[in-house]
Amino acid sequence: MTLKRIAIDMDEVIADFLFKHLNLYNENFNEALSIANLQGTRLWNFRPHIAKEILAYLDDPTFFRDLRVIDDSQEVIRELHKHYEIFIATAAMKHPASFTAKYEWLKEYFPFLSDAHFVFCGDKSIIRADYLIDDSPKNLKRFIGQGILFTAPHNIHETGYVRVNNWKEVRAYFLNENT
């Protein structure tokens, strides 16, 4: 029996990218922005006059190494792994310095997944899977399988996608409906 494939994005889906990014920004620019300020937008779009400086954090080779794990993602992905073929697909090509940190982070927090199932790419439409869980609508638009939008502050106003708000909803979607 061939298992169905689920491709899962890394940042803002299993790794809490925004928490660290926002804290660094607030510390360095002496502000007190919160996630509530970023509903429907990204930090660099919220402060476009310093977007270059805000995005520069992502070119630090260590930025992605110590991100917090999104609640319940490890447990649910471990469960899904029993019923589906799981791939982590991260668009690392925008920030190539992130490869090592992302790889080490994945090995630390998701050691039950095979290295061969870590996909560092740019355009996720090349991913051949039945499902793609991602926080970015642009990655879902050209994806051939079923796209599933993982809620993040920047995508809160997006419509037209199957949406999950957390990993408990991912569990319910895949283990209650499809097994």
Side-chain angles (χ1 to χ4, degrees):
M1 179 178 110
T2 303
L3 297 177
K4 287 192 173 187
R5 290 180 171 181
I6 304 172
I8 302 168
D9 179 37
M10 185 173 164
D11 302 319
E12 285 308 284
V13 177
I14 61 174
D16 195 346
F17 165 89
L18 182 57
F19 177 81
K20 180 175 182 178
H21 203 205
L22 191 56
N23 283 337
L24 280 171
Y25 169 81
N26 282 335
E27 188 179 302
N28 292 328
F29 290 92
N30 198 28
E31 287 208 50
L33 293 181
S34 71
I35 288 173
N37 297 113
L38 300 177
Q39 298 300 300
T41 191
R42 298 227 188 223
L43 181 56
W44 53 89
N45 294 327
F46 191 73
R47 294 286 190 255
H49 61 288
I50 53 172
K52 198 176 274 189
E53 292 90 332
I54 292 169
L55 288 166
Y57 294 129
L58 312 183
D59 293 322
D60 176 339
T62 64
F63 178 85
F64 294 90
R65 183 59 185 96
D66 62 351
L67 300 179
R68 296 187 325 183
V69 178
I70 299 281
D71 290 345
D72 302 315
S73 62
Q74 292 164 299
E75 174 189 336
V76 173
I77 290 172
R78 189 183 301 274
E79 289 176 44
L80 293 174
H81 187 53
K82 296 173 187 171
H83 305 279
Y84 296 88
E85 196 174 6
I86 303 294
F87 291 84
I88 305 300
T90 183
M93 295 311 296
K94 290 180 182 173
H95 303 282
S98 70
F99 287 150
T100 300
K102 285 186 172 201
Y103 174 77
E104 289 173 351
W105 188 92
L106 286 166
K107 289 303 291 177
E108 179 176 350
Y109 294 108
F110 295 87
F112 53 90
L113 296 176
S114 166
D115 293 15
H117 286 213
F118 299 156
V119 182
F120 296 91
C121 61
D123 182 350
K124 291 186 187 170
S125 69
I126 62 127
I127 302 296
R128 190 174 63 89
D130 299 288
Y131 304 93
L132 172 61
I133 303 171
D134 205 302
D135 66 301
S136 180
K138 74 174 176 124
N139 290 327
L140 300 178
K141 281 181 182 152
R142 293 184 51 215
F143 179 69
I144 304 273
Q146 173 64 58
I148 299 171
L149 187 64
F150 195 91
T151 298
H154 67 87
N155 71 31
I156 203 71
H157 303 302
E158 293 287 339
T159 59
Y161 299 96
V162 171
R163 180 185 286 274
V164 290
N165 295 302
N166 55 54
W167 278 94
K168 290 179 179 171
E169 289 184 13
V170 172
R171 176 191 287 127
Y173 181 89
F174 285 103
L175 297 179
N176 293 344
E177 290 185 10
N178 298 316
T179 57

